[in-house]
């Protein structure tokens, strides 16, 4: 069997187009653009790239993008004051503080300062609690993107066995909550899990969010299973490569021969993350303006 490739890039482009339609509808209904503010502290090169692409995608979707930069040595109080200002600004619907923050800042404290109804990353404990109890809130972008890909591929997930490898707050745990909400039977695996290959072999759905290049092997996979690879790992350069290849947490070439469907790296989960961020920002705009956005539209 050769697995179908789940084209996250194409799905993300469709989602971004739908977000654009809803952003224009929001502007027509409310008289203002939906607004997303992104805060970057310091000069971390990867974070600068993310922030630039978020800004570009926000503008392309017809939304207002507000970028705020603070120096790496800014005081935590300065960042908290900026967050308070953005919380109070009615033109800002979503706030994203780019992580990681410099070591002298307390990330948990900064996230807790964001208004939960503007927390489009879904990291605030209020949104974590809403997700855990099945209330409406914001769900972290990467796992929500994974769920969208799974539903597009499989339709109803009810009763399926899912194994999520990784238990981080930004990917593994919310992914497990989302799958549970879809009535999957969910197992969360982590670095202390025993007999991981055996456990993964039971799964109809495997989500790998570990950060270990090509860890999940073909003989871990039940034939026909759907495999979602969240990992992004850069291998050391070989031969004449100037930069090493990007690979996921799944040994793609061999797992493709066993799985029913699989996301590639790059081009699978990665492009979904920004598309879902934009989706969350438009949903925030509708909610903050007290306007109705029917659930099936985004
Ligand atoms: P974390 O490092 O926060 O979490 C990794 C998890 O993997 C931990 O729960 C850890 O277990 C578990 N783990 C580590 N080693 C093993 C092992 N040998 N067997 C089983 N489990 C193990 O990572 P993130 O969740 O933030 O990210 C995971 C991956 O996803 C990374 O490659 C990251 O780059 C990528 N990523 C991709 C995104 C995208 O947009 N596509 C967005 C976010 C992340 P324990 O808790 O016991 O330590």
């Amino acid at each position: 069997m050769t697995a179908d490739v789940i084209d996250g890039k194409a799905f993300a482009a469709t989602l971004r187009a739908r977000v654009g339609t809803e952003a224009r509808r929001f502007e027509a209904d409310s008289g203002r653009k939906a607004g997303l503010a992104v805060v970057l502290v310091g000069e971390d090169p990867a974070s600068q790239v993310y922030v630039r692409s978020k800004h570009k995608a926000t503008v392309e979707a017809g939304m207002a993008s507000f970028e705020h930069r603070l120096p790496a040595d800014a005081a935590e109080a300065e960042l908290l004051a900026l967050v308070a200002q953005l919380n109070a600004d009615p033109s800002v619907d979503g706030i994203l503080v780019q992580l990681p923050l410099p070591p002298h800042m307390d990330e948990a404290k900064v996230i807790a300062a964001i208004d939960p109804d503007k927390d489009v990353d879904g990291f605030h404990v209020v949104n974590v609690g809403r997700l855990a109890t099945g209330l409406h809130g914001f769900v972290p972008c990467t796992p929500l993107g994974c769920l969208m890909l799974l539903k597009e591929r499989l339709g109803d997930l009810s009763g399926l066995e899912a194994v999520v490898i990784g238990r981080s707050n930004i990917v593994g745990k919310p992914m497990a909550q989302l799958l549970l909400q879809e009535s999957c039977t969910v197992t969360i695996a982590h670095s202390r899990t025993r007999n991981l290959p055996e456990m993964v072999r039971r799964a109809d759905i495997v989500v790998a969010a570990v950060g270990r290049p090509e860890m999940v092997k073909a003989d871990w996979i039940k034939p026909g299973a759907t495999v979602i690879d969240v990992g992004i790992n850069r291998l050391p350069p070989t031969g004449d490569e100037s930069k090493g290849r990007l690979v996921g947490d799944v040994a793609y070439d061999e797992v493709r021969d066993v799985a029913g469907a699989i996301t590639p790296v790059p081009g699978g989960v990665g492009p979904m993350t920004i598309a879902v961020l934009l989706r969350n920002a438009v949903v925030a705009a509708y909610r903050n303006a007290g306007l109705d956005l029917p659930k099936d539209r985004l």
Side-chain angles (χ1 to χ4, degrees):
M1 174 188 285
T2 303
D4 294 335
V5 178
I6 300 175
D7 188 346
K9 203 170 163 195
F11 189 89
T14 310
L15 177 59
R16 277 164 68 160
R18 277 180 19 229
V19 169
T21 305
E22 295 310 328
R24 280 191 296 280
R25 206 192 303 257
F26 175 80
E27 190 175 356
D29 290 352
S30 71
R32 67 172 180 85
K33 281 186 194 291
L36 176 63
V38 177
V39 180
L40 175 63
V41 184
E43 312 279 320
D44 178 61
S47 295
Q48 297 208 25
V49 172
Y50 293 139
V51 166
R52 256 201 310 277
S53 46
K54 282 168 188 168
H55 169 77
K56 190 165 163 266
T58 306
V59 172
E60 274 170 14
M63 296 158 63
S65 170
F66 307 102
E67 234 182 276
H68 295 270
R69 285 167 187 265
L70 294 179
D73 61 354
E76 185 184 85
E78 203 180 328
L79 176 58
L80 291 171
L82 174 58
V83 169
Q85 180 199 317
L86 296 171
N87 283 341
D89 184 342
S91 62
V92 172
D93 296 295
I95 303 168
L96 182 152
V97 177
Q98 185 65 46
L99 302 179
L101 291 172
H104 67 283
M105 292 188 176
D106 178 348
E107 282 185 1
K109 192 172 167 188
V110 172
I111 291 167
I114 299 172
D115 177 346
D117 294 327
K118 296 190 176 190
D119 166 42
V120 283
D121 254 343
F123 294 162
H124 193 290
V125 285
V126 167
N127 284 317
V128 177
R130 286 169 172 161
L131 175 62
T133 52
L135 295 174
H136 278 301
F138 292 108
V139 177
C141 303
T142 301
L144 183 53
C146 294
L147 182 71
M148 288 176 177
L149 294 177
L150 282 168
K151 287 176 84 167
E152 166 79 2
R153 165 76 194 176
L154 297 170
D156 182 12
L157 307 184
S158 167
L160 296 180
E161 285 248 13
V163 171
V164 178
I165 318 174
R167 57 173 164 179
S168 71
N169 290 337
I170 63 166
V171 190
K173 283 185 201 154
M175 186 72 243
Q177 292 285 1
L178 286 169
L179 291 166
L180 191 58
Q181 258 176 29
E182 296 296 323
S183 299
C184 291
T185 303
V186 184
T187 304
I188 308 177
H190 46 75
S191 66
R192 308 290 178 90
T193 296
R194 293 184 193 161
N195 305 325
L196 181 60
E198 201 175 296
M199 188 173 288
V200 174
R201 261 194 298 274
R202 290 207 314 257
D204 305 299
I205 294 171
V206 180
V207 180
V210 184
R212 288 183 177 253
E214 304 180 316
M215 182 182 90
V216 177
K217 307 295 186 201
D219 63 356
W220 298 24
I221 301 295
K222 175 160 106 176
T226 303
V227 179
I228 303 291
D229 190 353
V230 182
I232 303 177
N233 310 288
R234 194 170 288 282
L235 297 178
T238 54
D240 53 4
E241 288 176 348
S242 61
K243 277 201 284 189
R245 224 164 27 98
L246 274 188
V247 296
D249 292 340
V250 176
Y252 182 83
D253 290 338
E254 57 178 81
V255 169
R256 257 197 97 177
D257 293 338
V258 184
I262 185 167
T263 57
V265 177
V269 173
M272 290 299 291
T273 300
I274 287 189
V276 175
L277 172 69
L278 301 176
R279 177 245 175 226
N280 282 357
V282 171
V283 169
Y286 272 89
R287 277 191 208 154
N288 294 342
L291 294 169
D292 188 37
L293 174 64
K295 201 169 175 269
D296 58 348
R297 289 222 310 254
L298 271 183

